[in-house]
Amino acid sequence: MKLMGFNFSKINVEKFSDNLNELKINTNIDISDINEVKPGSFKTKEILLGIKFNYTINYEPNFAKIEFSGNVLVSLDPKIAKNILKEWEDKKIPDDFKTHLFNLIMRKSSIKALEFEEDMNLPYHIPLPVLKNPENN
């Protein structure tokens, strides 16, 4: 799978409360569409797939929410791409492709989310590296 393009079409960040009691952070990725994209001005032996996604980080109970919607464009071997499109007819995604796709979406979206979390004074949704003094262990 080769990444040909990635863009956000919607970003929404809301903070509803300052109460951090019993805070739970949940993430969710939803794929809303997968379709074949016809190459415009360039030729390729591979098939281009356009994927629409939603990535949500929920801070519960009712503390905050970060939402991303966007598009991913990938280039795949024709055999693999046709299998993905066939499975998508039943709204299913082959596990191997799903793993790569979700990792890509999480990597790109998490970088943006960390920036918004800093700006909005929200707890980070993923742990960041922390240095420890070896003398205090």
Side-chain angles (χ1 to χ4, degrees):
M1 176 174 91
K2 294 178 197 145
L3 177 63
M4 304 299 286
F6 185 99
N7 70 306
F8 294 111
S9 56
K10 173 185 161 188
I11 299 173
N12 185 40
V13 182
E14 293 182 272
K15 185 175 180 182
F16 310 115
S17 169
D18 288 319
N19 184 2
L20 289 170
N21 292 340
E22 299 182 32
L23 183 67
K24 293 180 184 170
I25 302 172
N26 298 307
T27 61
N28 183 54
I29 297 176
D30 179 48
I31 303 301
S32 58
D33 191 30
I34 299 176
N35 59 44
E36 184 175 351
V37 175
K38 300 295 178 195
S41 59
F42 65 94
K43 300 232 184 225
T44 178
K45 292 180 181 177
E46 296 189 321
I47 292 179
L48 298 175
L49 294 184
I51 301 139
K52 292 184 180 192
F53 71 90
N54 296 301
Y55 178 72
T56 307
I57 304 168
N58 276 315
Y59 296 78
E60 297 173 356
N62 202 29
F63 178 75
K65 188 176 199 174
I66 302 175
E67 297 173 290
F68 296 100
S69 295
N71 303 286
V72 180
L73 182 64
V74 295
S75 176
L76 295 158
D77 176 87
K79 184 178 177 183
I80 295 169
K82 290 189 186 302
N83 182 49
I84 291 167
L85 290 169
K86 185 176 185 319
E87 294 252 354
W88 182 248
E89 289 174 8
D90 296 325
K91 303 298 182 213
K92 295 181 181 173
I93 303 171
D95 287 338
D96 190 41
F97 177 70
K98 185 176 186 178
T99 301
H100 289 297
L101 179 63
F102 279 28
N103 282 330
L104 172 69
I105 292 168
M106 284 190 301
R107 186 172 56 247
K108 295 280 194 177
S109 300
S110 289
I111 292 168
K112 278 280 192 223
L114 289 169
E115 188 178 334
F116 291 122
E117 289 163 344
E118 180 70 22
D119 291 344
M120 299 287 289
N121 198 27
L122 298 172
Y124 297 128
H125 71 286
I126 56 176
L128 294 179
V130 177
L131 292 177
K132 293 185 179 182
N133 189 342
E135 295 173 7
N136 293 341
N137 282 338

